[in-house]
Amino acid sequence: LFSLYVAPDIMITSSLFIDFFQFAELSNLKTHLTLRSLRPEGTTKRAIPQGYGFNLVSCPNYFFEAIAWFSISMMTGSLAGM
């Protein structure tokens, strides 16, 4: 019925976007941890986030999330992921 053969260029492309997806998700985790650490427990102090991603865009958590979904849509070959 179905062949297990996958063309090599598709395998390379998929592995590239898997790596891209992992980068985006780990970057998203790092930005969430940065946002969590802005306000120490029990205080009302507010701080402006700086560092990884925050110097490039105002909301890097959404930016990296969009990159992750883009890579999923490229891996599946479907625009439904977008």
Side-chain angles (χ1 to χ4, degrees), residues 25-43:
E25 285 299 311
L26 289 173
S27 297
N28 197 10
L29 173 66
K30 179 148 177 61
T31 58
H32 280 286
L33 293 175
T34 301
L35 289 171
R36 184 180 76 173
S37 68
L38 287 178
R39 180 179 290 182
E41 267 189 59
T43 66

Side-chain angles (χ1 to χ4, degrees), residues 12-33:
I12 292 170
T13 304
S14 290
S15 66
L16 175 71
F17 283 111
I18 287 171
D19 292 341
F20 204 47
F21 173 79
Q22 290 175 343
F23 162 75
E25 285 299 311
L26 289 173
S27 297
N28 197 10
L29 173 66
K30 179 148 177 61
T31 58
H32 280 286
L33 293 175

Side-chain angles (χ1 to χ4, degrees), residues 38-55:
L38 287 178
R39 180 179 290 182
E41 267 189 59
T43 66
T44 58
K45 176 185 166 196
R46 295 183 184 197
I48 297 173
Q50 294 179 353
Y52 186 76
F54 289 97
N55 296 336

